[in-house]
Amino acid sequence: MNIIFTFKPPIEMQKELQQSFPDIRFHYFNQIEEGQSIWGEAEVIVTFGEDLTPQHINNAHHLKWIMVVSAGLEKMPLDSIQEQQIMVTNARGIHKKPMAEFTFAYILHHAKGIHNLSLLQNQRVWNHTLKTQEINEQCIMIVGTGAIGQEIARISQAFGMKVIGVNRSGKMVDHVDEVIQLDSLKEALPEADYIVSILPSTKETVHIYQYEHFQKMKESAVFINIGRGDVVEESVLIDALLNQEIAHAYLDVFKKEPLPADHPFWNMKNLTITPHLSSHSEHYLPRAMAIFKENLSSYLQKEEKQQYINVVDIEKGY
Amino acid sequence: MNIIFTFKPPIEMQKELQQSFPDIRFHYFNQIEEGQSIWGEAEVIVTFGEDLTPQHINNAHHLKWIMVVSAGLEKMPLDSIQEQQIMVTNARGIHKKPMAEFTFAYILHHAKGIHNLSLLQNQRVWNHTLKTQEINEQCIMIVGTGAIGQEIARISQAFGMKVIGVNRSGKMVDHVDEVIQLDSLKEALPEADYIVSILPSTKETVHIYQYEHFQKMKESAVFINIGRGDVVEESVLIDALLNQEIAHAYLDVFKKEPLPADHPFWNMKNLTITPHLSSHSEHYLPRAMAIFKENLSSYLQKEEKQQYINVVDIEKGY
């Protein structure tokens, strides 16, 4: 049985996989095109999810399962995959700790005015009267209440924040004070001090935040997007920030990544840009491989689909 | 009965105090010297704790109680106060939330490399490969396990960190995984990723961190001081940072404040300076006044000393 990786994990990880599964032939490539000669023989493909085309799916005559070492699936050829009835699993869940930490790094950065404190140090200026805010008793709205959203909610409550979760169904989840339906998002926005968007990119979420949404937010509100960049049209966000509808936006995701060097986002005063790394961590690949190995054991034992970790619902796109 | 404030709270706060205690004469001054004419008649003095001299105490013939709207008492004339058997209460406890938030602002700032991310934005550079760390599963050592230390410990555990508390007695406290005695500090340092010092300034704590302590710490360790500046000699810390015994120090407190503009600390690369504001918050004075009012009620009802909130043990100095 052949398994193709369209990236090269560290050599120790390769060795360890081989030891755990001695009968499997693992093939590691720096990029997908290098694997063409044995592509037709692969039963399993392990990928970061940004390199597969419908052509790849159609040429993979023995393909049964794709393991995506990521959470977002918007670059996957889902129609072809569904047509061929290929199972997809992903690495959702392993992002939650680094992403919650990242979110609070910037929430606290904002509340404590660290940007200004840093400028003052450069100028050798001691300003004891600088205003800082507390986040406890402030309200955080978490749009998208999956594993990542719930982890952010858990930490929010530890800090004594009021937590409003937003999801499609309005179904209650752990660690939030209340849940509202995505349909009612706009009405609830005036209450939030921090709005954290962790929405995936789907037909329903594209451009979901309109200009009027930013108008509904407090002038002191902070918008943090660690989900996908296309939930808000860039021109809309630029207008909202220029008109100071909100205090600041922290964006880790963009419509086009890398963000082009001439993009107007770069030098906006009330916008902070990070290069899509909220989920980064030295623990990332080991955790993803742990999921893969569990699922590979299930695969070898020919278990039912529901026995696998993180099977993706291709219809929903997550 | 006369009560002197050696600072002026907002006018609303003054009104509210008068309404709550209509029979008391409150006197508010911008600074202590302005109150000399009625100094001898004051039974209670409310101060930030940095303006009283032994002379003030000796001249205050009716003084029974000093409310310090702060936590540190190292600038108070404690010998004179003890001699005259004046009760001192302070505002400890109200600092814990802003200080824990401040501590995590800088812990996460460090772990997520926000300083570098900020420089990259200035240069319009997208660097997706920047290394970031997770704090979960890292070890935090909290030196000083009072109200502030325990609040930091609580948040640390919410983030999944291992928490070592350090105090004089070695007595267990809430939210820590283990407690060690201050005497054994040095031996435990090699385990810590973050060392947070919240020690007050007392005879026992002056220069408690020696060069050998920094040698014992990991090279990747981060030292955060939000207690008092004199726990480490500045030359010792400068040497430790220049020799990269640790990765970074975040200092909110200094031997001499404001830190002089020509101080070598200002432009050290692995040292971050903040102007003693970790406890700052718009909620600070309201919370301190809530304690004062509670205690004032006890005072008027002539209650026992143990009924008061935050009575200071003058011997111990906290």
Side-chain angles (χ1 to χ4, degrees), chain A residues 113-173:
Chain A
I114 290 184
H115 185 73
N116 288 330
L117 286 168
S118 167
L119 296 177
L120 287 175
Q121 177 168 355
N122 287 342
Q123 298 160 17
R124 294 172 169 259
V125 171
W126 179 278
N127 181 355
H128 184 62
T129 63
L130 220 69
K131 289 262 179 296
T132 67
Q133 295 161 14
E134 281 184 44
I135 64 169
N136 85 84
E137 293 176 31
Q138 290 214 287
C139 175
I140 185 169
M141 176 180 282
I142 300 171
V143 189
T145 58
I148 300 159
Q150 286 182 51
E151 178 70 2
I152 293 169
R154 191 180 64 77
I155 303 285
S156 301
Q157 288 193 330
F159 274 113
M161 302 180 88
K162 177 181 177 180
V163 186
I164 302 176
V166 183
N167 59 34
R168 197 156 55 164
S169 65
K171 206 181 119 189
M172 195 61 185
V173 295

Side-chain angles (χ1 to χ4, degrees), chain B residues 34-292:
Chain B
E34 293 176 9
Q36 288 316 303
S37 59
I38 53 142
W39 192 257
E41 297 161 48
E43 264 182 63
V44 182
I45 288 168
V46 185
T47 167
F48 274 97
E50 302 192 334
D51 49 8
L52 289 170
T53 62
Q55 190 69 30
H56 288 125
I57 303 302
N58 294 336
N59 292 343
H61 305 298
H62 290 90
L63 185 57
K64 300 281 189 315
W65 166 32
I66 301 170
M67 168 76 194
V68 183
V69 185
S70 165
L73 299 166
E74 70 277 8
K75 291 184 180 165
M76 295 274 286
L78 296 180
D79 290 343
S80 308
I81 287 168
Q82 190 167 27
E83 220 167 79
Q84 307 284 336
Q85 294 189 297
I86 296 162
M87 178 175 75
V88 176
T89 59
N90 69 2
R92 67 173 179 268
I94 71 168
H95 306 78
K96 68 179 186 178
K97 285 196 184 287
M99 288 179 82
E101 291 181 7
F102 180 92
T103 301
F104 275 91
Y106 277 105
I107 286 176
L108 290 165
H109 178 85
H110 184 85
K112 302 303 170 187
I114 290 183
H115 184 73
N116 288 330
L117 286 167
S118 167
L119 295 177
L120 287 175
Q121 177 167 354
N122 287 342
Q123 298 159 17
R124 294 171 169 259
V125 172
W126 178 279
N127 181 355
H128 183 64
T129 64
L130 220 67
K131 289 262 181 296
T132 67
Q133 294 161 14
E134 282 183 45
I135 64 169
N136 84 85
E137 293 176 31
Q138 290 213 287
C139 175
I140 186 169
M141 176 180 283
I142 299 171
V143 189
T145 59
I148 300 158
Q150 285 181 50
E151 178 70 2
I152 294 169
R154 191 180 65 78
I155 304 286
S156 302
Q157 287 192 330
F159 275 113
M161 302 181 88
K162 178 182 175 178
V163 186
I164 302 175
V166 183
N167 60 33
R168 197 156 57 163
S169 64
K171 207 181 119 189
M172 195 63 183
V173 294
D174 285 345
H175 310 301
V176 305
D177 295 302
E178 57 179 281
V179 171
I180 60 164
Q181 278 192 287
L182 199 50
D183 291 345
S184 314
L185 173 63
K186 203 159 58 186
E187 292 73 53
L189 285 170
E191 200 188 341
D193 296 295
Y194 293 89
I195 297 100
V196 182
S197 185
I198 323 151
L199 292 173
S201 174
T202 68
K203 283 166 206 159
E204 279 177 293
T205 63
V206 172
H207 298 171
I208 195 167
Y209 301 99
Q210 300 287 316
Y211 192 83
E212 54 188 3
H213 288 79
F214 293 96
Q215 281 181 307
K216 286 273 186 188
M217 295 178 196
K218 292 182 184 178
E219 282 179 26
S220 60
V222 171
F223 178 74
I224 300 174
N225 189 2
I226 54 169
R228 283 297 178 261
D230 58 6
V231 292
V232 53
E233 207 152 5
E234 294 185 341
S235 61
V236 164
L237 188 57
I238 288 173
D239 284 350
L241 289 169
L242 287 177
N243 296 335
Q244 297 179 28
E245 300 289 354
I246 61 171
H248 206 99
Y250 294 88
L251 305 182
D252 189 49
V253 287
F254 303 87
K255 202 170 169 182
K256 190 179 173 200
E257 297 177 3
L259 191 68
D262 61 353
H263 198 286
F265 274 173
W266 284 108
N267 61 349
M268 293 185 72
K269 275 198 177 156
N270 48 358
L271 172 60
T272 297
I273 292 166
T274 52
H276 201 152
L277 45 63
S278 71
S279 67
H280 281 205
S281 153
E282 69 273 34
H283 306 308
Y284 190 96
L285 208 50
R287 286 184 191 144
M289 282 302 114
I291 293 174
F292 172 65

Side-chain angles (χ1 to χ4, degrees), chain A residues 23 45 81 93 106-107 135 145 189 202 269 289 292 305 307-308 313:
Chain A
D23 298 334
I45 288 169
I81 288 168
Y106 277 105
I107 286 176
I135 64 169
T145 58
L189 284 170
T202 69
K269 275 199 176 157
M289 283 301 114
F292 172 64
K305 205 169 175 177
Q307 297 300 312
Y308 287 77
D313 181 330

